[in-house]
Amino acid sequence: MATGHVAVIGSFNADLVLDLPRMAARGETLAARALHRFPGGKGSNQAIAAARAGARVTMLASLGTDAEGDAALALWAREGVQARAVRHPVLPTGMAVILLEGGDNRIILAPGANMALAAADAAPPPCDVVLAQLEVPAPAIAAAFAAAGGARRVLNAAPADAAAATRLLPLTDILLVNAGEAMALAPAAGQDAAALAQALAGQVGQAAVVTAGPAGAVLAMRGGAVLRAPAPPVAVRDTTGAGDAFAGAFCAALAGGADHAAALRAGVAAGSLACTVLGAVPSLPHRAAIAALLDEGLVR
């Protein structure tokens, strides 16, 4: 498959992961079993995931003038991601606290400089796919999509923000959401992933994808066709990076010339592999691992 170019407009966060025996009750002090620090942020994670999946990647972001911002630039350089980052003189680099209990997580986000990304700093380079999430301001995403030229515009409408997503849907070619986010955008469609994808596909230019955890993912084309990719059985350790792994691999496949079905399978394979490793960035799989899982025939 050819190597395509993915431009990602999105966030970087320094992730602080607390591994808990259980969630604390109101007013309770609870000792964590372990503390881990990882680089994170949906935009950064997805950029790295796309690069590891074989794409050429450019990252557009806003960072603080602090050590965490320096770490982001160093990380992207190591991962082969070209950075187009502005440095905010006052706001700190974003941070997320991730409460991990078994294979489930709860995330508390302090966005910091991510929310200072301006439309003027969001013009993507010539590329095949422009990928955005909702951890940066909607006007910046709208500007990036408006300047995308012939690139496919993929919106991962996460974290759930119905107002921002609704504003951006008319500019979006492919919408990518999990089941909970899909229900927030199409509450009348019920809980079935295929029905949700079909309802959302009518609001965007090409297609809507709904990821459904262990059930895999569904892609509905605007106009009717529905594609499904089941998830292979894996030993789940941490689901934190699974959605970002899916998004990055899905967009890398599209940018490289894959059709929707092949891109959907690549996304499911990458998301499944990510569940087996602790931490977002450490869990993002490389192209060879994704290809090996696809070759096993467990993602059809």
Side-chain angles (χ1 to χ4, degrees):
M1 185 180 296
T3 298
H5 187 178
V6 178
V8 180
I9 173 172
S11 60
F12 174 86
N13 294 314
D15 284 356
L16 182 67
V17 180
L18 298 175
D19 188 355
L20 303 177
R22 58 177 173 79
M23 290 296 169
R26 181 188 296 270
E28 179 185 14
T29 298
L30 180 67
R33 292 185 295 204
L35 181 151
H36 308 275
R37 296 180 185 272
F38 298 112
K42 285 186 172 296
S44 178
N45 291 347
Q46 291 176 17
I48 294 169
R52 291 185 182 179
R56 187 160 53 96
V57 180
T58 300
M59 179 76 198
L60 296 92
S62 176
L63 305 169
T65 51
D66 49 25
E68 289 77 13
D70 294 341
L73 295 176
L75 169 69
W76 296 334
R78 291 194 302 272
E79 295 289 343
V81 173
Q82 181 180 2
R84 288 192 179 183
V86 295
R87 306 295 295 268
H88 197 279
V90 177
L91 293 174
T93 299
M95 176 169 286
V97 176
I98 300 169
L99 306 179
L100 181 64
E101 180 189 16
D104 295 322
N105 65 75
R106 300 181 186 183
I107 301 174
I108 302 165
L109 181 64
N114 290 313
M115 296 311 294
L117 185 63
D121 299 313
C127 59
D128 301 291
V129 172
V130 177
L131 169 62
Q133 319 75 32
L134 298 180
E135 289 185 344
V136 296
I141 299 171
F145 281 4
R152 273 184 281 194
R153 301 162 297 180
V154 179
L155 177 64
N156 176 212
D161 184 336
T166 300
R167 173 180 178 180
L168 294 166
L169 290 181
L171 300 172
T172 299
D173 296 311
I174 300 175
L175 175 67
L176 173 57
V177 287
N178 64 26
E181 293 152 359
M183 286 187 281
L185 294 176
Q191 299 182 12
D192 178 71
L196 287 164
Q198 288 174 305
L200 292 169
Q203 302 181 46
V204 297
Q206 295 181 9
V209 178
V210 176
T211 60
V218 176
L219 183 150
M221 298 294 299
R222 182 182 178 96
V226 176
L227 307 173
R228 292 176 172 84
V234 295
V236 175
R237 185 177 182 195
D238 179 11
T239 62
T240 302
D244 296 333
F246 181 103
F250 176 82
C251 289
L254 285 180
D259 61 19
H260 289 103
L264 188 69
R265 291 193 296 270
V268 168
S272 299
L273 289 167
C275 291
T276 65
V277 179
L278 180 65
V281 170
S283 76
L284 302 173
H286 289 80
R287 185 175 188 172
I290 297 169
L293 184 57
L294 290 172
D295 287 345
E296 292 179 17
L298 297 176
V299 183
R300 300 182 301 277

